[in-house]
Amino acid sequence: MLRLISAVGERSARSIEQLGDISIFGCQIVKCFLRPPLRFRPFVKELHKLGVLSLLIIGISGLAVGMVLALQGYIELSKYGSESSLGGFVGIVLVRELGPVLTGLLVTGRAGSATTAEIGTMVASEQLDGLRMMSVNPIDVVVVPRALAMILVMPLLNAIFTVLGLLGGWLVGVRVMGLDSGAYIGSLTASVGFQEDVASGLLKSVLFGVLVALVSTYKGFNSAPTSEGVSHSTTMCVVTASLAILVSNYFFTALWGM
Amino acid sequence: MVLTHPISVDGAPRPEGGHVVLEGVRMEFSDRVILRDLDCDFPAGKISIICGGSGSGKSTTLRLIGGLIRPQQGHIRVDGIDVAALRRTSELEKVRQKLGMLFQKGALLDSTNVFDNVAFPLRERTKLDGDEISARVRECLLEVGLKPADERLLPSELSGGMVKRVALARAIVTEPVILLVDEPFSGLDPITSRRIELLLQKVNKRSGITMIIVSHDPGSTMRLADHLLVMLPDRYVQGTPDELRNHEDPRVTSLLTHEVDDSILEVDHMLDTVIQRGPTDLDSTWA
Ligand SMILES: Nc1ncnc2c1ncn2[C@@H]1O[C@H](COP(=O)(O)OP(=O)(O)O)[C@@H](O)[C@H]1O
Ligand SMILES: [Mg+2]
């Protein structure tokens, strides 16, 4: 029993220590970002890697999620004879919750893990030490472009996910179930407001972008310089960032209404 | 930074300084003692070679001199400045301007080509304009024996020997006075290895740069070294190649000649296993 308590205590102490570490890391990123010059070329390259290359998975997922939402929603709503509010249902769920959260999780798996593995490999092949020996701050060169790109890409991908989800919902609701297209769109525009829904969804995905950027670069930067270390960091990046997204999403939703 | 010692000019003056001294250095990683009471002196302008069993702390010693890690105890003086005591990155960077490091696997930035890798430290740390940088980079690439056609290759397209050449070019492009080299001959065929050896010797002769090289290769060690540091699990031995060639400790001569008298395998711990044991075990063997 005593051993259990001490083990729990040790784990919590380590988690808190790591949280402090990540915060310091975040401050260093901000400091480097504020100090010119901004490295434009690596930044654009990262935008391509993290954003453009994620488009396919984000698009297909958005479409699939929207379609299944419409399918389930239609069946439930028709029990109460309110199929006409399908557009509003799909819209609210996608814009407020599923868009930002699923985009966050998908980007974590697709791009966050890649970022961690890439930086981790640079640690293992001593590239970061090489930079240090050249009096170049590796955070400046390696971390800042990746973190910035991640933060910028997340809301954009979220927007694409959501729009394609709405399209998927429309396809199933109107084309498959035979709902009136005007009714779907009317209910959608009536229910989804800009400030309480669209703005909150986009803000959420910016927050998730910051979380994934922080976690993925931190885990890569601090990975052990072996192939085992890199693979462990990559796993931990996905686990930590996913949990961070899901937990912070709850609090964001709870606090946004207040 | 002003570039004052063009390395390609024959008979260029020897740069000022380049003297590295370690005093009572103790280094441990999470309770495993890797270095204990290491005292050594790497003379300026000379080629010093560090040899020892794998895991004896050779790379660790280079990383300590570069200020990449900090010892638990002791002083590491680079031209009188104690690297181990520096706390601010800006102070460390001043010392690192004197240092170049050639990592074991090259540590080239794998997303940029050969030219950009070598130009990188100049672009980052000097105010030279594009033409001056190009000229300087080409000069260094020529110095290490790379053709202009190789400039556009990515590190992944290079052979092991070429990686070492590019890494050497990058290390000397800023004209350091001390070059730290980690296992330049590992993973190379004997011919390429010999080429790299001659290259290092040429760079040392031309620019008078201090070289601290980690190597297991007995042949090139005896040919290159002006000064030797042999790291054994329980002691460190220093001296010139001539002094150590007939050293009383058979492990020293084994490392330097590659001829292992099997009797030492019985008597002594194999060179590479001691580090794996706990610090208390090591304490008892530490005479
Ligand atoms: N950053 C580190 N963290 C923990 N252990 C390390 C670290 N760097 C080196 N070591 C350990 O120190 C010992 C000596 O390493 P090293 O100096 O690389 O040996 P070598 O003489 O083969 O170059 C090895 O056992 C290695 O595992
Ligand atoms: Mg080594």
Side-chain angles (χ1 to χ4, degrees):
Chain A
M1 186 66 202
L2 219 62
R3 206 166 328 143
L4 182 77
I5 294 175
S6 88
V8 168
E10 206 172 293
R11 294 260 330 213
S12 344
R14 217 167 332 138
S15 307
I16 292 171
E17 202 178 291
Q18 206 176 55
L19 209 64
D21 250 20
I22 294 190
S23 318
I24 294 171
F25 188 72
C27 294
Q28 283 171 330
I29 296 179
V30 173
K31 217 167 92 184
C32 286
F33 167 62
L34 293 178
R35 200 173 21 187
L38 196 65
R39 287 158 206 280
F40 198 68
R41 258 179 44 192
F43 172 65
V44 173
K45 207 160 144 186
E46 290 306 320
L47 277 185
H48 175 80
K49 269 200 301 209
L50 304 181
V52 178
L53 298 183
S54 302
L55 275 177
L56 193 67
I57 184 175
I58 289 291
I60 293 176
S61 308
L63 210 58
V65 167
M67 286 166 75
V68 83
L69 266 181
L71 203 59
Q72 293 283 12
Y74 186 87
I75 296 167
E76 278 309 300
L77 289 172
S78 63
K79 285 185 189 159
Y80 311 102
S82 43
E83 307 91 289
S84 55
S85 36
L86 184 67
F89 166 73
V90 172
I92 297 267
V93 173
L94 270 177
V95 173
R96 280 192 195 164
E97 300 292 340
L98 289 190
V101 170
L102 289 181
T103 306
L105 295 179
L106 287 168
V107 171
T108 300
R110 167 69 183 72
S113 60
T115 301
T116 304
E118 200 180 9
I119 299 179
T121 307
M122 295 180 85
V123 172
S125 58
E126 299 185 306
Q127 288 179 52
L128 297 193
D129 283 332
L131 290 173
R132 290 191 184 99
M133 285 308 294
M134 292 185 275
S135 299
V136 173
N137 186 347
I139 293 190
D140 215 8
V141 179
V142 175
V143 174
V144 169
R146 286 174 172 77
L148 278 187
M150 184 70 84
I151 295 170
L152 184 66
V153 144
M154 193 69 96
L156 298 178
L157 289 176
N158 172 30
I160 290 167
F161 182 98
T162 307
V163 168
L164 280 170
L166 295 176
L167 177 70
W170 179 87
L171 280 175
V172 168
V174 176
R175 285 292 146 114
V176 180
M177 298 299 181
L179 214 63
D180 178 49
S181 175
Y184 180 88
I185 291 169
S187 139
L188 177 64
T189 47
S191 317
V192 178
F194 181 77
Q195 201 211 330
E196 62 273 40
D197 303 316
V198 178
S200 106
L202 284 179
L203 210 61
K204 254 186 197 178
S205 59
V206 172
L207 171 74
F208 298 160
V210 172
L211 287 176
V212 178
L214 254 183
V215 172
S216 62
T217 52
Y218 174 83
K219 290 288 177 192
F221 207 77
N222 290 289
S223 95
T226 57
S227 39
E228 196 191 1
V230 176
S231 92
H232 181 249
S233 297
T234 308
T235 311
M236 286 318 287
C237 159
V238 175
V239 172
T240 313
S242 305
L243 284 178
I245 286 173
L246 292 169
V247 172
S248 66
N249 179 55
Y250 174 80
F251 286 104
F252 189 99
T253 304
L255 293 176
W256 187 258
M258 283 160 52
Chain B
M1 186 177 14
V2 193
L3 299 171
T4 46
H5 308 288
I7 50 161
S8 56
V9 177
D10 272 305
R14 208 182 69 71
E16 295 292 306
H19 188 200
V20 180
V21 183
L22 275 65
E23 292 167 7
V25 171
R26 179 191 182 85
M27 185 72 216
E28 43 189 271
F29 292 113
S30 49
D31 293 345
R32 276 167 66 215
V33 184
I34 307 298
L35 300 175
R36 127 182 358 217
D37 264 332
L38 172 59
D39 289 297
C40 60
D41 192 319
F42 299 105
K46 296 277 178 4
I47 298 184
S48 301
I49 296 205
I50 305 177
C51 44
S54 45
S56 57
K58 304 182 297 294
S59 303
T60 302
T61 307
L62 289 190
R63 295 165 61 78
L64 281 166
I65 298 170
L68 291 170
I69 47 177
R70 219 191 289 281
Q72 272 75 30
Q73 270 171 34
H75 306 284
I76 297 160
R77 298 190 204 283
V78 175
D79 287 334
I81 298 172
D82 187 359
V83 179
L86 298 181
R87 289 287 177 272
R88 303 169 63 95
T89 319
S90 56
E91 294 171 329
L92 209 55
E93 287 185 350
K94 207 172 265 169
V95 177
R96 282 182 182 154
Q97 293 200 346
K98 294 189 169 194
L99 297 171
M101 188 148 174
L102 206 163
F103 289 87
Q104 189 170 350
K105 294 194 192 84
L108 300 175
L109 296 170
D110 47 24
S111 54
T112 55
N113 65 29
V114 167
F115 183 93
D116 290 334
N117 258 293
V118 179
F120 186 82
L122 295 178
R123 290 191 181 130
E124 290 292 328
R125 304 302 302 180
T126 68
K127 294 197 166 61
L128 300 179
D129 67 29
D131 291 340
E132 289 168 316
I133 289 179
S134 300
R136 177 86 192 117
V137 169
R138 301 238 155 84
E139 192 183 11
C140 281
L141 288 174
L142 205 67
E143 169 92 8
V144 300
L146 287 167
K147 299 184 294 293
D150 302 330
E151 269 176 20
R152 300 288 148 209
L153 295 177
L154 288 172
S156 56
E157 300 166 327
L158 302 176
S159 67
M162 278 165 94
V163 167
K164 305 258 168 165
R165 284 168 194 269
V166 178
L168 178 62
R170 185 178 72 172
I172 59 177
V173 75
T174 51
E175 307 190 321
V177 290
I178 299 162
L179 189 64
L180 309 171
V181 189
D182 200 354
E183 308 216 4
F185 312 119
S186 70
L188 298 182
D189 63 84
I191 299 169
T192 313
S193 167
R194 175 82 179 135
R195 286 212 177 101
I196 301 285
E197 179 191 329
L198 291 173
L199 186 56
L200 288 170
Q201 202 159 34
K202 179 178 81 171
V203 170
N204 169 261
K205 288 280 168 308
R206 277 201 184 178
S207 61
I209 188 174
T210 307
M211 286 194 181
I212 304 176
I213 304 175
V214 168
S215 171
H216 303 288
D217 183 54
S220 51
T221 297
M222 294 312 261
R223 284 190 295 268
L224 273 176
D226 297 311
H227 183 83
L228 278 166
L229 167 67
V230 181
M231 304 179 80
L232 297 171
D234 53 356
R235 63 190 291 205
Y236 306 112
V237 180
Q238 279 196 87
T240 64
D242 286 331
E243 286 164 8
L244 300 192
R245 188 168 283 135
N246 300 311
H247 197 265
E248 89 252 337
D249 192 325
R251 294 171 301 173
V252 173
T253 45
S254 305
L255 280 167
L256 296 179
T257 59
H258 233 185
E259 277 157 29
V260 180
D261 180 353
D262 282 352
S263 62
I264 68 168
L265 303 181
E266 307 295 323
V267 184
D268 238 300
H269 332 286
M270 287 202 292
L271 286 169
D272 57 359
T273 49
V274 170
I275 294 294
Q276 310 302 330
R277 299 198 271 132
T280 42
D281 284 352
L282 198 64
D283 271 328
S284 58
T285 63
W286 200 263

